[in-house]
Amino acid sequence: MRQLLTLFSAVILLALSLPAQAGPVQDILQEHSALITKSSRKTIQPAIDALANSGLPQAQAVLQTWQSKDMWLRTGDGLFFRGETLPSGTIRLSDFDSGEAVGEADKKTLKQLKPNSGVRALIGTALVQFQLSDPDPARRAEALTAIERAPDASTLLPLRASIESETDPDLKARKIRTERLQTISFDPDDDARITALAAIKGDLGVDVRAALNPILTSKRKVFAGEPPAGLNIARALKPGSDDLTETEAYDLIVAAGLGVPRLTPEALRAAVLNYIAGGVGGGVQVAELRTQGARERAYAGLGKAGTVTAAITDAEAAQAVRAHRFVDLYDEPSQAVTDAASATLDAIETKVALNQALDLGLDALSLASIYFLAAIGLAITFGVMGVINMAHGEFIMMGAYTGYVVQQIIPNYTVSIIVAIPMAFAVTFAAGVAMERLVIRWLYSRPLETLLATFGISIALQQIAKNIFGTQARPLTSPGWLDGAWVLNDVVAISYIRIAIFVLAMIFLGFFLFLMKKTRLGLETRAVTQNPRMAASMGINPDRVNMLTFGLGSGIAGIAGVAIGLYAKVTSELGADYIVQSFMTVVVGGVGNIWGTLLGATMIGSLQKGIEWLNPSNTLAAQTYMIIFIIIFIQFRPRGIIALKGRAAGD
């Protein structure tokens, strides 16, 4: 019995000491054991490719284990395992093929494989083909994003292979687009590249142009005679033009080793000084060598004597330039590919130009809506009532500060804006009524006195605002649903705040038209505007109508202040920034006409954006040019775009 137990124990110990059973993954690892152990970025690629292209289901786990530095080599038999450090300090080993634990080992008997960052990057690239087909869409999207950020030739085939099995429509569209860009840059087949180039003609993405530009890069080359056949020449160059001066052309000849370098003044002086003997250098006395001409004669003498190499003359350099051919040579050898890339880039640039025009138009429309909002209240007080209210901008400022105060009380930005709009109207309506009752009513038909009085009031209101809120800009925060922009493509985008301001401007246009055409106040306002005495004889109180009309114009300015405050910082000078544009809008459009105000705002907004586009570095110059243009415009149409007709026009 004792002998039997001894034999049984020996068998168990022998079994534990045997190496793990070899499998297909272990075979690959053993085949490339030396490369894996060395772990050099320059030599490791065959081992990574062998695993990635093996088609084995365990390959992904092996690569991930290797990348995370959890692969261990058992020094006794040279086998590779996945290792897990236990609390006891020993390493639990798992077989790569079966995935099962094969025992524990002391760290002294193992070697941990720690690939450097370069090797880990190569492993990460190899893992892309597995991640692109991962069941988790988030993992697939993450892998695709990694490819988009760092395009590489090694990811083209895995990306292409994953497209057909992709089930997510958005991811599939991204994969197709990325595959086309990868094909353009890395596919060795010219026909495939040309097909991909044709497929992206309408794509305005910046990455598309980034993929096209390297194809169309060129280098300037010089040839002694006609260029060899088969070269992909971008264009032939004529020396003496702006693109290539004769001096630059000869420098190219010298750089290509086809000509003698020009002798610089420094080199000329040094050469002559090296061959002075007996006070003479090249047949010229040393005392005469202070001038450039004397040095050139001395060098020519040394050249005739064979002492130095004769310097090239300007005539010889010109002759050499005429004897050579200069071209811009594409780096891309295939002419078919560069032709397709050039056609695609031209189509994209045309579409970009059209979209830039659309983007400029949207910016102009957005600015016009801001000017219209700022001017619509002035269209009532100035256009309808004839009152020059220089404090109109301060009503805009009061409305913006009202919105700011409301937001300090109501932290919910959506609710606060909803509350701020009627609150701003109420505050500025009351301020307008007070101003009309206390000042304006005594100055009707006295425009100069009205201008001076309201200008003084505007300065006083600005100072009051500074005393209350300080000189620091105050934020009027927009609701979260107004964050961001409506993006049509990589060229055209407009912020949601500007869209909201445009919608608000259209709402007030409709409100003003309804008020003036469909309400009793509008009827009375128009009657008082045209003939106050006749209106009074019909039972209309002109003082009451003037008060309500001025208050209405001021209230609308307050609402405009809330809208503008979402777009610009709220300061005491906020209104002053818009008062000039507001007056120009009303005057250019036609005094007393709401449609004219709308056209005036559109014209001024478009003109300002157009001038800023032509001169983007100087917005102040753009405003100056705009004012000059408007002054000229008023000379030809003093009554504005839409002039009043009838008795009101005569007034």
Side-chain angles (χ1 to χ4, degrees), residues 344-532:
T344 299
L345 189 60
D346 288 342
I348 290 175
E349 287 179 347
T350 300
K351 194 170 182 180
V352 166
L354 293 174
N355 278 271
Q356 285 176 336
L358 175 61
D359 188 57
L360 184 64
L362 289 174
D363 280 349
L365 191 63
S366 170
L367 186 62
S369 64
I370 293 172
Y371 286 164
F372 180 73
L373 266 180
I376 191 171
L378 195 65
I380 298 174
T381 57
F382 177 59
V384 176
M385 299 178 62
V387 175
I388 302 177
N389 180 17
M390 295 300 294
H392 178 78
E394 278 55 56
F395 289 119
I396 295 175
M397 176 264 293
M398 290 170 63
Y401 272 123
T402 301
Y404 166 73
V405 171
V406 170
Q407 281 198 343
Q408 305 311 302
I409 301 171
I410 305 175
N412 186 297
Y413 295 140
T414 300
V415 176
S416 64
I417 292 298
I418 294 174
V419 173
I421 289 176
M423 185 65 69
F425 179 85
V427 170
T428 51
F429 178 88
V433 168
M435 182 174 167
E436 196 277 338
R437 289 289 87 187
L438 296 175
V439 179
I440 302 300
R441 65 178 298 189
W442 311 106
L443 301 175
Y444 284 122
S445 302
R446 295 160 64 184
L448 181 59
E449 287 86 343
T450 305
L451 186 150
L452 293 175
T454 54
F455 182 70
I457 293 173
S458 72
I459 295 175
L461 290 175
Q462 286 187 33
Q463 189 58 49
I464 291 172
K466 289 179 182 178
N467 292 339
I468 296 175
F469 299 101
T471 57
Q472 186 177 1
R474 303 292 179 175
L476 185 56
T477 308
S478 61
W481 48 273
L482 286 180
D483 292 341
W486 179 35
V487 179
L488 295 180
N489 49 52
D490 283 9
V491 179
V492 182
I494 183 169
S495 66
Y496 290 128
I497 291 180
R498 292 196 171 199
I499 295 174
I501 292 175
F502 174 78
V503 172
L504 188 62
M506 293 301 99
I507 290 173
F508 273 99
L509 173 63
F511 169 75
F512 184 83
L513 292 174
F514 174 79
L515 179 72
M516 298 302 291
K517 301 293 185 182
K518 302 295 183 181
T519 66
R520 181 176 180 84
L521 177 60
L523 178 63
E524 292 179 348
T525 300
R526 286 184 288 136
V528 172
T529 299
Q530 293 190 16
N531 196 323

Side-chain angles (χ1 to χ4, degrees), residues 297-352:
R297 292 196 309 273
Y299 192 89
L302 292 172
K304 290 179 181 179
T307 307
V308 296
T309 303
I312 190 168
T313 65
D314 291 340
E316 291 171 336
Q319 183 179 0
V321 168
R322 290 192 295 271
H324 290 76
R325 297 294 177 266
F326 303 87
V327 298
D328 281 338
L329 193 64
Y330 281 123
D331 295 334
E332 168 60 47
S334 173
Q335 183 178 355
V337 172
T338 53
D339 288 345
S342 181
T344 299
L345 189 60
D346 288 342
I348 290 175
E349 287 179 347
T350 300
K351 194 170 182 180
V352 166

Side-chain angles (χ1 to χ4, degrees), residues 240-288:
S241 64
D242 292 337
D243 292 334
L244 182 67
T245 64
E246 290 194 0
T247 301
E248 292 170 341
Y250 190 75
D251 290 341
L252 285 175
I253 294 174
V254 173
L258 301 175
V260 179
R262 293 179 185 272
L263 196 62
T264 64
E266 293 78 11
L268 174 64
R269 180 176 181 275
V272 172
L273 293 177
N274 285 337
Y275 293 98
I276 292 177
V280 177
V284 180
Q285 293 294 327
V286 173
E288 300 178 14

Side-chain angles (χ1 to χ4, degrees), residues 76-128:
D77 52 19
L79 295 180
F80 295 89
F81 300 92
R82 180 183 182 277
E84 179 185 358
T85 304
L86 299 177
S88 61
T90 58
I91 307 299
R92 178 186 293 159
L93 303 179
S94 299
D95 182 62
F96 281 124
D97 286 288
S98 64
E100 297 178 355
V102 297
E104 300 177 11
D106 189 271
K107 285 186 178 180
K108 295 180 180 179
T109 63
L110 303 171
K111 178 183 179 181
Q112 184 180 11
L113 301 178
K114 299 179 179 180
N116 58 35
S117 58
V119 174
R120 290 201 304 275
L122 294 176
I123 297 173
T125 301
L127 282 169
V128 166

